[in-house]
Amino acid sequence: MISEKDFMNWKQDAVTEAFFAVIKERVDEAMYILSRSAGINPNDDNFYRGMILAFRDVLETSFEETQTDA
């Protein structure tokens, strides 16, 4: 297990912040694409919706979620 302090240090690290910035850009790009092409290809719509949800899940990971019994 990691400590809450370690988690916060990781979240504030320059590399982590740069990685999260890229993820945020990809979310914005996917939202733009979806807003321009929704309904044309349902498979593409599902892909972009899933991508957005997955990236948001990564961005919103909390310390508590890192605590497992394993």
Side-chain angles (χ1 to χ4, degrees):
M1 259 199 281
I2 62 169
S3 70
E4 187 168 6
K5 180 181 177 186
D6 288 340
F7 181 81
M8 295 310 295
N9 286 339
W10 170 78
K11 288 275 281 196
Q12 296 170 352
D13 187 83
V15 173
T16 305
E17 289 178 350
F19 177 73
F20 279 13
V22 169
I23 290 176
K24 288 175 188 174
E25 286 178 24
R26 290 185 180 177
V27 167
D28 290 342
E29 289 171 8
M31 288 173 48
Y32 176 78
I33 291 168
L34 194 54
S35 74
R36 305 276 294 165
S37 64
I40 296 171
N41 183 330
N43 289 330
D44 286 348
D45 295 351
N46 289 335
F47 172 81
Y48 287 113
R49 286 192 346 241
M51 187 174 111
I52 291 165
L53 289 172
F55 282 151
R56 283 183 176 164
D57 189 48
V58 170
L59 292 171
E60 296 168 2
T61 300
S62 67
F63 169 71
E64 291 76 24
E65 292 173 302
T66 68
Q67 304 305 296
T68 62
D69 294 332

